[in-house]
Amino acid sequence: MAPRNNNRKKNKTTMNTVGAVVGRLRSQAGLSQPELAERACVAPETIASIEQGRRPLLPHMAERLDDVLESKGVLWVMVDNLPEEAKFPVWVVEFVIHERDALTHYSYENQVLPGLLQTEGYARAVFLSNLPVLDEEEIEARVAHRLQRQAVLRRKKDPLNASFVIWEPVVRDALGGEEVRRTQLLHLRACADLPGVSIQILPLGRKTHAALNGPFVLLETPEHQLLAYTEVQRGGHLIHDPNEVSILSQKYAMLRSEALNPEESKRLLDQLLGES
């Protein structure tokens, strides 16, 4: 338990510290948040989120703020020397820490494909759809981070036991265009044959549905602690409460029974590839 809480506190403190430094430099420059945002050519919400520790300060933005605030590269040096995981939002950091070492990873998705199964092109299309719009450098940083996470599927030591239930419209969608879609379907079909990986498609037309409230992930840590992760429009939430995790585990068990089995799901992917 203690390491988990310490990690969460450390990462949150890192982002809050960066935000506090930005706020201090802004105040010393005699600027309000909207004034700094205007001079840096970003939305006021961006500056507010950085100062409140809710949004990471990426290197290009640090450099831009250093120019506006005449802070002589202080922000850029600080950000450039942060540990990699501290450069992402706290809810993502804690989840990724647990995901990296998890024994099992069960995921249900009904909007986009699970991050662990996305191709580079598909991931880029996901981030290009973000509102407010992300700049090119931030998109590339997020794509690279997402692709790095996928190494867990091919982990040699203590291989991951991974299960994915995906609603059928997600695999039929053409996010990013037809070329991205076909490459993604090929990748998804290849992932379905990976040792320890199970992919099941939840088809349209089912009369019951165990997860109408949205997507979620279940993790089992090396200490056999069961965790759940849910994501909403403006952030994510890692769930430690055993009762809440149990409810989501029951939902996942029902989803697997409602979905096509792995072999049927492979045949559906083959069919979709034949049509594309």
Side-chain angles (χ1 to χ4, degrees):
M1 286 289 189
R4 182 192 70 223
N5 292 333
N6 287 342
N7 279 335
R8 178 165 53 182
K9 185 176 179 181
K10 182 178 78 170
N11 287 316
K12 185 174 182 180
T13 299
T14 301
M15 291 185 67
N16 286 346
T17 298
V18 172
V21 172
V22 171
R24 179 65 173 170
L25 291 171
R26 174 182 58 75
S27 296
Q28 288 181 336
L31 298 174
S32 66
Q33 289 181 348
E35 288 170 338
L36 176 57
E38 183 178 2
R39 296 190 187 190
C41 300
V42 297
E45 169 62 19
T46 298
I47 300 300
S49 295
I50 290 171
E51 291 190 7
Q52 293 165 18
R54 294 186 289 109
R55 179 179 181 137
L57 178 60
L58 295 174
H60 74 286
M61 180 59 68
E63 190 172 15
R64 188 184 307 174
L65 293 182
D66 274 327
D67 288 340
V68 174
L69 298 170
E70 298 182 356
S71 46
K72 301 179 180 179
V74 167
L75 293 175
W76 185 88
V77 170
M78 182 170 59
V79 169
D80 191 56
N81 284 278
L82 289 177
E84 191 62 30
E85 60 266 18
K87 300 177 183 179
F88 296 91
V90 62
W91 59 84
V92 175
V93 171
E94 188 177 7
F95 171 70
V96 170
I97 287 172
H98 287 296
E99 180 186 64
R100 189 169 50 204
D101 301 320
L103 300 177
T104 63
H105 182 295
Y106 296 168
S107 172
Y108 168 65
E109 276 289 355
N110 65 352
Q111 299 292 333
V112 295
L113 288 170
L116 293 184
L117 301 178
Q118 293 179 10
T119 63
E120 180 178 349
Y122 187 94
R124 186 171 290 108
V126 169
F127 293 125
L128 280 169
S129 300
N130 192 82
L131 288 174
V133 175
L134 302 174
D135 62 52
E136 184 176 349
E137 186 171 346
E138 186 163 356
I139 288 173
E140 293 310 311
R142 294 193 185 194
V143 169
H145 181 248
R146 178 152 296 179
L147 297 179
Q148 289 168 7
R149 285 173 47 208
Q150 296 175 2
V152 71
L153 291 180
R154 294 171 174 80
R155 195 172 61 200
K156 300 293 185 182
K157 184 179 180 182
D158 300 322
L160 180 67
N161 175 14
S163 167
F164 302 93
V165 176
I166 306 166
W167 198 33
E168 184 178 347
V170 177
V171 297
R172 289 188 177 275
D173 198 12
L175 186 65
E178 285 302 324
E179 184 176 347
V180 168
R181 177 176 182 266
R182 179 165 181 81
T183 301
Q184 178 61 70
L185 284 174
L186 287 167
H187 179 69
L188 197 62
R189 182 62 180 83
C191 288
D193 286 331
L194 288 174
V197 175
S198 168
I199 295 177
Q200 293 179 255
I201 308 300
L202 181 64
L204 288 164
R206 288 287 191 253
K207 294 182 180 180
T208 59
H209 193 307
L212 293 175
N213 290 334
F216 60 93
V217 177
L218 298 168
L219 299 175
E220 181 182 0
T221 74
E223 297 76 33
H224 303 293
Q225 180 186 14
L226 301 180
L227 304 170
Y229 178 77
T230 60
E231 202 163 68
V232 293
Q233 285 285 332
R234 300 294 293 158
H237 180 50
L238 193 65
I239 301 170
H240 305 90
D241 184 339
N243 292 326
E244 295 298 322
V245 176
S246 176
I247 291 171
L248 290 174
S249 296
Q250 294 172 50
K251 287 177 177 283
Y252 197 80
M254 187 62 71
L255 282 169
R256 294 190 77 172
S257 71
E258 294 170 348
L260 302 177
N261 68 38
E263 292 305 316
E264 292 169 336
S265 298
K266 289 178 185 178
R267 287 197 288 272
L268 176 57
L269 292 174
D270 290 337
Q271 175 187 333
L272 293 174
L273 280 165
E275 294 173 355
S276 63

